[in-house]
Amino acid sequence: MAEAQAAQRVPAPAPSHAVEASEAAARGVHAAALAALPRASSGRLAKLLNHRDPSEVWSQAVAGELPGWAVDPDLADLWRIHARDRDLDALAEQLAALDAWVTTPLSPDHPPALIDDIDPAPILFRRGRVPDDSAPAAAIVGTRRCTPTGRSVAMELGSDLAAAGVTVVSGLALGIDGAAHRGALAAAAAAVVGVVGSGLDRVYPRGNRDLWDEVAAAGTLLSEAPLGAEPEGWRFPARNRLLVALADVVVVVESKRAGGSMHTVEEAVRRGVVVMAVPGSVRNPAAQGTNLLLSEGCPPVCSSDDVLVALDLATAGTVGGSAGGTAGGAVGGEPAAAQTGDAGARSLDPLQKRLLRLLDDGPVSLDALVLRAASPVPEVLVAAEALERLGLLARDGALVLRA
């Protein structure tokens, strides 16, 4: 009788899939804890995690038994102190609350491009789906302090490329980066990838919180920074190398002669990734960098066609992209107005008609037009670009007017 009661108290073996899930979660937590150790650089972590399970490395850190060829004795002692004070259960709860996963090169979900890169990322924090490494990808970057025209071009490029099945990669910063992702999300087609320079629980800039969530829902949000990491300046150049490694081509929409975008260009050159640039006015300070790139031989982007051709997804002249109109008018052939005529005007949707009415009193800035329209910014920008393609709207510097 006692033996029977004892047998009843023995728990049934856990299903094998539950054990596997638990082990995977444990590996993610240990990797997250390693990333948060003081002075845990990507190079040092890459050495330690070379074909090794993070839990094994973590156990060595707790015991102060890390190999001397990877960590000097003083740092190993510092890591031992921090590791013993780390609450792994609390860290697991943080990851679960964010619906975030942590991967290393041993993980099947770790992007191959970031394993084989010249400066690999040994630990990644991720929200959303696993990036499709077989899909063509274009990184769209530029200045935070962009012009309305630059913002519009970035948004349209993001939308057109996503609609063509291209993964749009960017850094989720203000200005060009955010505009490119908003355009790609509006297309509701290909997945997007956002690479950020802070912990996944530290949204930066704060005004892009909704964009972070939308990118995670429609694609992938990636960071090399551990949870709790603030957006320190040095993290963004490090972030740029990941952004480039995930892309087949880098498109610079607007950039000054120095800054983050030009650093991204340097990372692309190191990796042999094609760099393209959108032409801008010589009077526009935000176009000094892109015009410099063009003068140095970078291919120009006057429409999404140019990017698709660079990705071997189209032949020149076969795809009807439209970013060229925003960048500087029709490129070759007749103006859009001569091609569309009155038929285009008769097919306008209500928002497009409202925008034309708002321009009856004369030119306004694009920002002012957005405010007057009282509609979501992406919808207004897309409608304005459609009007420009039809030859019904024109641009004069930062102003828009009826053509």
Side-chain angles (χ1 to χ4, degrees), residues 45-106:
L45 290 172
K47 290 180 181 179
L48 287 169
L49 290 171
N50 185 26
H51 305 296
R52 299 177 67 201
D53 192 292
S55 62
E56 176 187 345
V57 178
W58 180 255
S59 296
Q60 288 184 318
V62 172
E65 298 174 351
L66 290 166
W69 50 263
V71 181
D72 63 65
D74 288 342
L75 184 58
D77 192 50
L78 179 63
W79 279 16
R80 177 181 58 79
I81 295 170
H82 278 263
R84 289 182 175 180
D85 290 339
R86 187 66 176 180
D87 186 340
L88 295 185
D89 289 337
L91 181 55
E93 291 175 3
Q94 284 182 279
L95 291 169
L98 288 168
D99 195 20
W101 301 85
V102 188
T103 63
T104 70
L106 286 183

Tab-separated table of all heavy atoms in Angstrom, residues 45-106:
chain	number	residue	atom	x	y	z
A	45	LEU	N	33.101	37.889	-26.581
A	45	LEU	CA	32.038	36.880	-26.511
A	45	LEU	C	32.131	35.896	-27.670
A	45	LEU	O	31.830	34.704	-27.510
A	45	LEU	CB	30.672	37.574	-26.522
A	45	LEU	CG	30.319	38.362	-25.255
A	45	LEU	CD1	29.036	39.150	-25.462
A	45	LEU	CD2	30.174	37.429	-24.052
A	46	ALA	N	32.546	36.372	-28.853
A	46	ALA	CA	32.688	35.480	-29.993
A	46	ALA	C	33.732	34.400	-29.708
A	46	ALA	O	33.556	33.230	-30.066
A	46	ALA	CB	33.070	36.278	-31.239
A	47	LYS	N	34.827	34.781	-29.057
A	47	LYS	CA	35.853	33.797	-28.703
A	47	LYS	C	35.304	32.765	-27.721
A	47	LYS	O	35.518	31.560	-27.862
A	47	LYS	CB	37.063	34.498	-28.080
A	47	LYS	CG	37.878	35.337	-29.048
A	47	LYS	CD	39.052	35.981	-28.311
A	47	LYS	CE	39.879	36.861	-29.230
A	47	LYS	NZ	41.004	37.504	-28.491
A	48	LEU	N	34.595	33.254	-26.707
A	48	LEU	CA	34.091	32.353	-25.671
A	48	LEU	C	33.012	31.418	-26.179
A	48	LEU	O	32.889	30.277	-25.735
A	48	LEU	CB	33.552	33.181	-24.499
A	48	LEU	CG	34.586	33.865	-23.617
A	48	LEU	CD1	33.920	34.850	-22.667
A	48	LEU	CD2	35.377	32.815	-22.824
A	49	LEU	N	32.173	31.908	-27.103
A	49	LEU	CA	31.026	31.126	-27.565
A	49	LEU	C	31.313	30.343	-28.829
A	49	LEU	O	30.398	29.784	-29.421
A	49	LEU	CB	29.836	32.063	-27.803
A	49	LEU	CG	29.214	32.658	-26.535
A	49	LEU	CD1	28.202	33.739	-26.894
A	49	LEU	CD2	28.550	31.580	-25.694
A	50	ASN	N	32.554	30.287	-29.256
A	50	ASN	CA	32.898	29.566	-30.474
A	50	ASN	C	32.586	28.074	-30.325
A	50	ASN	O	33.321	27.330	-29.683
A	50	ASN	CB	34.387	29.768	-30.784
A	50	ASN	CG	34.778	29.143	-32.107
A	50	ASN	OD1	33.950	28.987	-33.007
A	50	ASN	ND2	36.043	28.778	-32.231
A	51	HIS	N	31.444	27.668	-30.917
A	51	HIS	CA	30.982	26.267	-30.875
A	51	HIS	C	30.725	25.780	-29.443
A	51	HIS	O	30.857	24.583	-29.155
A	51	HIS	CB	31.991	25.336	-31.559
A	51	HIS	CG	32.319	25.719	-32.954
A	51	HIS	ND1	31.378	25.716	-33.958
A	51	HIS	CD2	33.474	26.138	-33.534
A	51	HIS	CE1	31.936	26.109	-35.097
A	51	HIS	NE2	33.198	26.384	-34.863
A	52	ARG	N	30.367	26.683	-28.552
A	52	ARG	CA	30.102	26.283	-27.165
A	52	ARG	C	28.733	26.770	-26.733
A	52	ARG	O	28.260	27.831	-27.135
A	52	ARG	CB	31.177	26.848	-26.232
A	52	ARG	CG	32.580	26.376	-26.540
A	52	ARG	CD	33.578	27.043	-25.623
A	52	ARG	NE	33.416	26.608	-24.244
A	52	ARG	CZ	33.862	27.290	-23.200
A	52	ARG	NH1	34.460	28.461	-23.376
A	52	ARG	NH2	33.691	26.837	-21.991
A	53	ASP	N	28.090	26.001	-25.886
A	53	ASP	CA	26.786	26.358	-25.362
A	53	ASP	C	26.932	27.491	-24.345
A	53	ASP	O	27.824	27.448	-23.487
A	53	ASP	CB	26.149	25.135	-24.690
A	53	ASP	CG	24.687	25.362	-24.378
A	53	ASP	OD1	24.391	26.195	-23.503
A	53	ASP	OD2	23.846	24.714	-25.026
A	54	PRO	N	26.062	28.514	-24.413
A	54	PRO	CA	26.150	29.626	-23.457
A	54	PRO	C	26.058	29.194	-22.001
A	54	PRO	O	26.669	29.817	-21.128
A	54	PRO	CB	24.973	30.526	-23.840
A	54	PRO	CG	24.699	30.204	-25.270
A	54	PRO	CD	25.019	28.746	-25.422
A	55	SER	N	25.295	28.136	-21.733
A	55	SER	CA	25.167	27.693	-20.337
A	55	SER	C	26.504	27.203	-19.793
A	55	SER	O	26.825	27.397	-18.613
A	55	SER	CB	24.106	26.585	-20.226
A	55	SER	OG	24.477	25.449	-20.991
A	56	GLU	N	27.297	26.584	-20.652
A	56	GLU	CA	28.626	26.118	-20.238
A	56	GLU	C	29.534	27.302	-19.934
A	56	GLU	O	30.259	27.314	-18.917
A	56	GLU	CB	29.226	25.260	-21.356
A	56	GLU	CG	30.648	24.789	-21.092
A	56	GLU	CD	31.259	24.098	-22.296
A	56	GLU	OE1	30.496	23.735	-23.223
A	56	GLU	OE2	32.497	23.942	-22.324
A	57	VAL	N	29.490	28.302	-20.792
A	57	VAL	CA	30.314	29.493	-20.582
A	57	VAL	C	29.874	30.222	-19.321
A	57	VAL	O	30.702	30.718	-18.543
A	57	VAL	CB	30.244	30.425	-21.806
A	57	VAL	CG1	31.060	31.690	-21.569
A	57	VAL	CG2	30.739	29.704	-23.056
A	58	TRP	N	28.547	30.284	-19.105
A	58	TRP	CA	28.038	30.958	-17.912
A	58	TRP	C	28.508	30.248	-16.643
A	58	TRP	O	28.889	30.898	-15.659
A	58	TRP	CB	26.512	31.028	-17.960
A	58	TRP	CG	25.918	31.710	-16.762
A	58	TRP	CD1	25.284	31.121	-15.711
A	58	TRP	CD2	25.926	33.110	-16.493
A	58	TRP	NE1	24.884	32.067	-14.794
A	58	TRP	CE2	25.270	33.302	-15.250
A	58	TRP	CE3	26.415	34.215	-17.171
A	58	TRP	CZ2	25.093	34.553	-14.689
A	58	TRP	CZ3	26.244	35.469	-16.607
A	58	TRP	CH2	25.586	35.633	-15.385
A	59	SER	N	28.498	28.931	-16.648
A	59	SER	CA	28.959	28.177	-15.479
A	59	SER	C	30.413	28.488	-15.176
A	59	SER	O	30.817	28.622	-14.011
A	59	SER	CB	28.787	26.671	-15.722
A	59	SER	OG	27.413	26.345	-15.857
A	60	GLN	N	31.220	28.630	-16.225
A	60	GLN	CA	32.621	28.985	-16.012
A	60	GLN	C	32.750	30.397	-15.446
A	60	GLN	O	33.618	30.662	-14.604
A	60	GLN	CB	33.388	28.884	-17.336
A	60	GLN	CG	33.631	27.461	-17.810
A	60	GLN	CD	34.466	27.439	-19.077
A	60	GLN	OE1	34.267	28.242	-19.979
A	60	GLN	NE2	35.413	26.515	-19.141
A	61	ALA	N	31.865	31.302	-15.919
A	61	ALA	CA	31.916	32.677	-15.412
A	61	ALA	C	31.565	32.714	-13.930
A	61	ALA	O	32.209	33.423	-13.141
A	61	ALA	CB	30.958	33.552	-16.216
A	62	VAL	N	30.559	31.963	-13.533
A	62	VAL	CA	30.153	31.918	-12.125
A	62	VAL	C	31.270	31.351	-11.257
A	62	VAL	O	31.518	31.816	-10.131
A	62	VAL	CB	28.863	31.074	-11.964
A	62	VAL	CG1	28.544	30.855	-10.486
A	62	VAL	CG2	27.697	31.746	-12.670
A	63	ALA	N	31.967	30.362	-11.784
A	63	ALA	CA	33.035	29.720	-11.009
A	63	ALA	C	34.357	30.463	-11.104
A	63	ALA	O	35.332	30.106	-10.414
A	63	ALA	CB	33.224	28.284	-11.500
A	64	GLY	N	34.425	31.491	-11.954
A	64	GLY	CA	35.678	32.213	-12.141
A	64	GLY	C	36.721	31.383	-12.860
A	64	GLY	O	37.919	31.527	-12.604
A	65	GLU	N	36.272	30.497	-13.768
A	65	GLU	CA	37.194	29.569	-14.437
A	65	GLU	C	37.239	29.787	-15.944
A	65	GLU	O	37.486	28.866	-16.716
A	65	GLU	CB	36.762	28.123	-14.140
A	65	GLU	CG	36.819	27.774	-12.660
A	65	GLU	CD	36.256	26.392	-12.371
A	65	GLU	OE1	35.663	25.797	-13.311
A	65	GLU	OE2	36.395	25.929	-11.232
A	66	LEU	N	37.031	31.022	-16.374
A	66	LEU	CA	37.085	31.309	-17.803
A	66	LEU	C	38.515	31.215	-18.311
A	66	LEU	O	39.456	31.529	-17.582
A	66	LEU	CB	36.524	32.707	-18.070
A	66	LEU	CG	35.008	32.842	-17.870
A	66	LEU	CD1	34.611	34.311	-17.813
A	66	LEU	CD2	34.250	32.133	-18.995
A	67	PRO	N	38.706	30.770	-19.547
A	67	PRO	CA	40.074	30.598	-20.065
A	67	PRO	C	40.822	31.924	-20.166
A	67	PRO	O	40.264	32.952	-20.587
A	67	PRO	CB	39.845	29.981	-21.447
A	67	PRO	CG	38.436	30.344	-21.814
A	67	PRO	CD	37.681	30.373	-20.524
A	68	GLY	N	42.087	31.928	-19.815
A	68	GLY	CA	42.896	33.137	-19.804
A	68	GLY	C	43.118	33.721	-21.182
A	68	GLY	O	43.355	34.924	-21.318
A	69	TRP	N	43.043	32.888	-22.242
A	69	TRP	CA	43.269	33.404	-23.585
A	69	TRP	C	42.102	34.264	-24.058
A	69	TRP	O	42.223	34.999	-25.041
A	69	TRP	CB	43.500	32.266	-24.574
A	69	TRP	CG	42.475	31.161	-24.524
A	69	TRP	CD1	42.589	29.980	-23.858
A	69	TRP	CD2	41.196	31.142	-25.168
A	69	TRP	NE1	41.456	29.215	-24.013
A	69	TRP	CE2	40.583	29.912	-24.835
A	69	TRP	CE3	40.508	32.030	-25.974
A	69	TRP	CZ2	39.315	29.555	-25.290
A	69	TRP	CZ3	39.251	31.670	-26.434
A	69	TRP	CH2	38.662	30.453	-26.094
A	70	ALA	N	40.964	34.196	-23.361
A	70	ALA	CA	39.802	34.993	-23.752
A	70	ALA	C	39.521	36.118	-22.768
A	70	ALA	O	39.070	37.196	-23.174
A	70	ALA	CB	38.567	34.096	-23.868
A	71	VAL	N	39.763	35.886	-21.483
A	71	VAL	CA	39.454	36.872	-20.445
A	71	VAL	C	40.615	36.923	-19.464
A	71	VAL	O	41.010	35.897	-18.901
A	71	VAL	CB	38.151	36.499	-19.704
A	71	VAL	CG1	37.835	37.540	-18.646
A	71	VAL	CG2	36.986	36.347	-20.679
A	72	ASP	N	41.151	38.117	-19.243
A	72	ASP	CA	42.273	38.222	-18.299
A	72	ASP	C	41.766	37.989	-16.872
A	72	ASP	O	40.570	38.107	-16.596
A	72	ASP	CB	42.956	39.583	-18.426
A	72	ASP	CG	42.044	40.747	-18.072
A	72	ASP	OD1	41.629	40.849	-16.903
A	72	ASP	OD2	41.728	41.559	-18.968
A	73	PRO	N	42.654	37.648	-15.943
A	73	PRO	CA	42.239	37.276	-14.578
A	73	PRO	C	41.417	38.351	-13.866
A	73	PRO	O	40.447	38.028	-13.160
A	73	PRO	CB	43.569	37.026	-13.866
A	73	PRO	CG	44.510	36.632	-14.956
A	73	PRO	CD	44.104	37.446	-16.148
A	74	ASP	N	41.779	39.614	-14.020
A	74	ASP	CA	41.035	40.673	-13.340
A	74	ASP	C	39.596	40.743	-13.846
A	74	ASP	O	38.658	40.882	-13.053
A	74	ASP	CB	41.725	42.024	-13.556
A	74	ASP	CG	43.025	42.130	-12.779
A	74	ASP	OD1	43.209	41.334	-11.837
A	74	ASP	OD2	43.850	42.996	-13.126
A	75	LEU	N	39.428	40.652	-15.163
A	75	LEU	CA	38.075	40.695	-15.721
A	75	LEU	C	37.304	39.429	-15.358
A	75	LEU	O	36.104	39.489	-15.060
A	75	LEU	CB	38.136	40.858	-17.238
A	75	LEU	CG	36.780	41.022	-17.946
A	75	LEU	CD1	36.025	42.236	-17.390
A	75	LEU	CD2	36.971	41.168	-19.459
A	76	ALA	N	37.973	38.307	-15.347
A	76	ALA	CA	37.310	37.054	-14.962
A	76	ALA	C	36.793	37.144	-13.535
A	76	ALA	O	35.691	36.649	-13.223
A	76	ALA	CB	38.273	35.881	-15.111
A	77	ASP	N	37.552	37.786	-12.654
A	77	ASP	CA	37.117	37.950	-11.270
A	77	ASP	C	35.921	38.895	-11.179
A	77	ASP	O	34.981	38.648	-10.418
A	77	ASP	CB	38.282	38.484	-10.434
A	77	ASP	CG	38.004	38.405	-8.938
A	77	ASP	OD1	37.608	37.325	-8.467
A	77	ASP	OD2	38.166	39.430	-8.251
A	78	LEU	N	35.948	39.956	-11.997
A	78	LEU	CA	34.824	40.890	-12.028
A	78	LEU	C	33.570	40.197	-12.541
A	78	LEU	O	32.477	40.370	-11.998
A	78	LEU	CB	35.180	42.088	-12.914
A	78	LEU	CG	34.091	43.159	-13.081
A	78	LEU	CD1	33.772	43.812	-11.737
A	78	LEU	CD2	34.529	44.213	-14.099
A	79	TRP	N	33.727	39.391	-13.573
A	79	TRP	CA	32.580	38.654	-14.119
A	79	TRP	C	32.035	37.660	-13.098
A	79	TRP	O	30.825	37.460	-13.004
A	79	TRP	CB	33.005	37.922	-15.394
A	79	TRP	CG	33.024	38.810	-16.605
A	79	TRP	CD1	33.006	40.173	-16.628
A	79	TRP	CD2	33.082	38.398	-17.970
A	79	TRP	NE1	33.045	40.640	-17.909
A	79	TRP	CE2	33.093	39.571	-18.761
A	79	TRP	CE3	33.135	37.167	-18.596
A	79	TRP	CZ2	33.143	39.531	-20.154
A	79	TRP	CZ3	33.190	37.113	-19.984
A	79	TRP	CH2	33.195	38.278	-20.756
A	80	ARG	N	32.921	37.018	-12.349
A	80	ARG	CA	32.464	36.053	-11.338
A	80	ARG	C	31.563	36.750	-10.316
A	80	ARG	O	30.507	36.227	-9.956
A	80	ARG	CB	33.682	35.434	-10.640
A	80	ARG	CG	33.332	34.469	-9.503
A	80	ARG	CD	34.602	33.926	-8.848
A	80	ARG	NE	35.441	34.993	-8.324
A	80	ARG	CZ	35.224	35.625	-7.170
A	80	ARG	NH1	34.192	35.287	-6.401
A	80	ARG	NH2	36.039	36.588	-6.766
A	81	ILE	N	31.962	37.944	-9.874
A	81	ILE	CA	31.160	38.680	-8.888
A	81	ILE	C	29.803	39.037	-9.465
A	81	ILE	O	28.763	38.847	-8.827
A	81	ILE	CB	31.920	39.948	-8.443
A	81	ILE	CG1	33.211	39.562	-7.701
A	81	ILE	CG2	31.040	40.826	-7.562
A	81	ILE	CD1	34.125	40.738	-7.434
A	82	HIS	N	29.796	39.563	-10.692
A	82	HIS	CA	28.528	39.943	-11.319
A	82	HIS	C	27.655	38.727	-11.604
A	82	HIS	O	26.435	38.778	-11.422
A	82	HIS	CB	28.802	40.709	-12.622
A	82	HIS	CG	29.117	42.162	-12.407
A	82	HIS	ND1	28.177	43.156	-12.521
A	82	HIS	CD2	30.275	42.782	-12.073
A	82	HIS	CE1	28.736	44.332	-12.274
A	82	HIS	NE2	30.017	44.126	-11.994
A	83	ALA	N	28.267	37.648	-12.065
A	83	ALA	CA	27.500	36.454	-12.432
A	83	ALA	C	26.808	35.848	-11.212
A	83	ALA	O	25.669	35.390	-11.292
A	83	ALA	CB	28.412	35.435	-13.100
A	84	ARG	N	27.501	35.838	-10.072
A	84	ARG	CA	26.907	35.229	-8.875
A	84	ARG	C	25.745	36.053	-8.340
A	84	ARG	O	24.868	35.513	-7.663
A	84	ARG	CB	27.987	35.067	-7.798
A	84	ARG	CG	28.991	33.984	-8.144
A	84	ARG	CD	30.046	33.788	-7.056
A	84	ARG	NE	30.914	32.655	-7.368
A	84	ARG	CZ	31.923	32.254	-6.594
A	84	ARG	NH1	32.184	32.902	-5.458
A	84	ARG	NH2	32.657	31.220	-6.947
A	85	ASP	N	25.723	37.345	-8.665
A	85	ASP	CA	24.630	38.199	-8.199
A	85	ASP	C	23.463	38.256	-9.189
A	85	ASP	O	22.433	38.858	-8.891
A	85	ASP	CB	25.140	39.634	-7.972
A	85	ASP	CG	26.065	39.732	-6.763
A	85	ASP	OD1	25.989	38.825	-5.910
A	85	ASP	OD2	26.852	40.692	-6.690
A	86	ARG	N	23.619	37.651	-10.352
A	86	ARG	CA	22.602	37.753	-11.397
A	86	ARG	C	21.447	36.801	-11.130
A	86	ARG	O	21.648	35.612	-10.872
A	86	ARG	CB	23.218	37.423	-12.759
A	86	ARG	CG	22.289	37.649	-13.940
A	86	ARG	CD	21.980	39.122	-14.102
A	86	ARG	NE	21.167	39.361	-15.284
A	86	ARG	CZ	20.743	40.548	-15.675
A	86	ARG	NH1	21.069	41.620	-14.969
A	86	ARG	NH2	20.023	40.691	-16.741
A	87	ASP	N	20.223	37.327	-11.191
A	87	ASP	CA	19.014	36.528	-10.999
A	87	ASP	C	18.529	36.077	-12.373
A	87	ASP	O	17.893	36.835	-13.107
A	87	ASP	CB	17.942	37.375	-10.300
A	87	ASP	CG	16.710	36.556	-9.928
A	87	ASP	OD1	16.509	35.468	-10.516
A	87	ASP	OD2	15.926	37.025	-9.079
A	88	LEU	N	18.831	34.832	-12.720
A	88	LEU	CA	18.462	34.335	-14.047
A	88	LEU	C	16.950	34.196	-14.209
A	88	LEU	O	16.421	34.372	-15.312
A	88	LEU	CB	19.141	32.994	-14.315
A	88	LEU	CG	20.674	33.018	-14.405
A	88	LEU	CD1	21.197	31.639	-14.791
A	88	LEU	CD2	21.152	34.053	-15.417
A	89	ASP	N	16.258	33.882	-13.134
A	89	ASP	CA	14.796	33.768	-13.219
A	89	ASP	C	14.167	35.122	-13.553
A	89	ASP	O	13.255	35.213	-14.378
A	89	ASP	CB	14.220	33.248	-11.900
A	89	ASP	CG	14.553	31.781	-11.674
A	89	ASP	OD1	14.824	31.079	-12.670
A	89	ASP	OD2	14.558	31.345	-10.512
A	90	ALA	N	14.668	36.175	-12.935
A	90	ALA	CA	14.148	37.509	-13.220
A	90	ALA	C	14.448	37.904	-14.660
A	90	ALA	O	13.627	38.528	-15.339
A	90	ALA	CB	14.758	38.529	-12.257
A	91	LEU	N	15.637	37.515	-15.151
A	91	LEU	CA	15.997	37.812	-16.529
A	91	LEU	C	15.081	37.071	-17.500
A	91	LEU	O	14.637	37.622	-18.511
A	91	LEU	CB	17.459	37.428	-16.770
A	91	LEU	CG	18.020	37.693	-18.169
A	91	LEU	CD1	17.845	39.150	-18.565
A	91	LEU	CD2	19.492	37.290	-18.230
A	92	ALA	N	14.774	35.822	-17.174
A	92	ALA	CA	13.863	35.048	-18.014
A	92	ALA	C	12.482	35.698	-18.065
A	92	ALA	O	11.832	35.733	-19.115
A	92	ALA	CB	13.752	33.613	-17.482
A	93	GLU	N	12.044	36.225	-16.937
A	93	GLU	CA	10.748	36.898	-16.902
A	93	GLU	C	10.764	38.168	-17.750
A	93	GLU	O	9.781	38.494	-18.424
A	93	GLU	CB	10.369	37.222	-15.449
A	93	GLU	CG	10.044	35.995	-14.608
A	93	GLU	CD	9.782	36.347	-13.144
A	93	GLU	OE1	9.811	37.554	-12.822
A	93	GLU	OE2	9.555	35.422	-12.345
A	94	GLN	N	11.876	38.888	-17.721
A	94	GLN	CA	11.994	40.093	-18.558
A	94	GLN	C	11.883	39.739	-20.037
A	94	GLN	O	11.184	40.405	-20.805
A	94	GLN	CB	13.344	40.780	-18.313
A	94	GLN	CG	13.438	41.569	-17.023
A	94	GLN	CD	14.800	42.234	-16.914
A	94	GLN	OE1	15.790	41.605	-16.528
A	94	GLN	NE2	14.867	43.506	-17.272
A	95	LEU	N	12.576	38.688	-20.442
A	95	LEU	CA	12.535	38.272	-21.840
A	95	LEU	C	11.132	37.838	-22.233
A	95	LEU	O	10.641	38.168	-23.319
A	95	LEU	CB	13.534	37.134	-22.080
A	95	LEU	CG	15.014	37.500	-21.989
A	95	LEU	CD1	15.875	36.240	-21.974
A	95	LEU	CD2	15.414	38.399	-23.146
A	96	ALA	N	10.475	37.102	-21.340
A	96	ALA	CA	9.122	36.634	-21.629
A	96	ALA	C	8.153	37.802	-21.748
A	96	ALA	O	7.273	37.815	-22.611
A	96	ALA	CB	8.666	35.660	-20.550
A	97	ALA	N	8.310	38.806	-20.876
A	97	ALA	CA	7.424	39.963	-20.912
A	97	ALA	C	7.562	40.729	-22.226
A	97	ALA	O	6.591	41.301	-22.731
A	97	ALA	CB	7.719	40.882	-19.733
A	98	LEU	N	8.757	40.735	-22.801
A	98	LEU	CA	8.994	41.405	-24.079
A	98	LEU	C	8.688	40.514	-25.263
A	98	LEU	O	8.697	40.986	-26.407
A	98	LEU	CB	10.463	41.845	-24.169
A	98	LEU	CG	10.915	43.015	-23.299
A	98	LEU	CD1	12.434	43.104	-23.299
A	98	LEU	CD2	10.312	44.318	-23.813
A	99	ASP	N	8.445	39.232	-25.014
A	99	ASP	CA	8.321	38.234	-26.081
A	99	ASP	C	9.589	38.259	-26.922
A	99	ASP	O	9.545	38.271	-28.154
A	99	ASP	CB	7.091	38.488	-26.945
A	99	ASP	CG	6.748	37.270	-27.810
A	99	ASP	OD1	7.207	36.163	-27.468
A	99	ASP	OD2	6.043	37.435	-28.827
A	100	ALA	N	10.727	38.283	-26.227
A	100	ALA	CA	12.028	38.381	-26.882
A	100	ALA	C	12.778	37.064	-26.773
A	100	ALA	O	12.592	36.298	-25.828
A	100	ALA	CB	12.853	39.501	-26.252
A	101	TRP	N	13.622	36.811	-27.767
A	101	TRP	CA	14.448	35.612	-27.802
A	101	TRP	C	15.902	36.023	-27.939
A	101	TRP	O	16.215	37.054	-28.517
A	101	TRP	CB	14.050	34.727	-28.989
A	101	TRP	CG	12.622	34.296	-28.936
A	101	TRP	CD1	11.541	34.998	-29.389
A	101	TRP	CD2	12.117	33.101	-28.372
A	101	TRP	NE1	10.386	34.302	-29.137
A	101	TRP	CE2	10.707	33.129	-28.518
A	101	TRP	CE3	12.707	31.998	-27.761
A	101	TRP	CZ2	9.891	32.097	-28.081
A	101	TRP	CZ3	11.895	30.974	-27.329
A	101	TRP	CH2	10.505	31.032	-27.492
A	102	VAL	N	16.787	35.176	-27.442
A	102	VAL	CA	18.213	35.447	-27.534
A	102	VAL	C	18.865	34.285	-28.268
A	102	VAL	O	18.637	33.124	-27.936
A	102	VAL	CB	18.851	35.614	-26.144
A	102	VAL	CG1	20.295	36.078	-26.268
A	102	VAL	CG2	18.051	36.596	-25.301
A	103	THR	N	19.667	34.601	-29.274
A	103	THR	CA	20.300	33.554	-30.068
A	103	THR	C	21.811	33.739	-30.106
A	103	THR	O	22.334	34.834	-29.908
A	103	THR	CB	19.766	33.545	-31.515
A	103	THR	OG1	20.096	34.794	-32.157
A	103	THR	CG2	18.261	33.360	-31.534
A	104	THR	N	22.500	32.631	-30.364
A	104	THR	CA	23.948	32.603	-30.558
A	104	THR	C	24.209	31.796	-31.830
A	104	THR	O	23.284	31.210	-32.393
A	104	THR	CB	24.654	31.937	-29.361
A	104	THR	OG1	24.353	30.537	-29.373
A	104	THR	CG2	24.219	32.568	-28.049
A	105	PRO	N	25.458	31.732	-32.302
A	105	PRO	CA	25.726	30.959	-33.516
A	105	PRO	C	25.289	29.498	-33.454
A	105	PRO	O	25.084	28.872	-34.504
A	105	PRO	CB	27.249	31.081	-33.669
A	105	PRO	CG	27.548	32.429	-33.103
A	105	PRO	CD	26.624	32.554	-31.916
A	106	LEU	N	25.133	28.937	-32.274
A	106	LEU	CA	24.645	27.558	-32.165
A	106	LEU	C	23.138	27.467	-32.359
A	106	LEU	O	22.613	26.375	-32.567
A	106	LEU	CB	25.014	26.967	-30.799
A	106	LEU	CG	26.476	26.580	-30.571
A	106	LEU	CD1	26.633	25.951	-29.193
A	106	LEU	CD2	26.961	25.618	-31.651
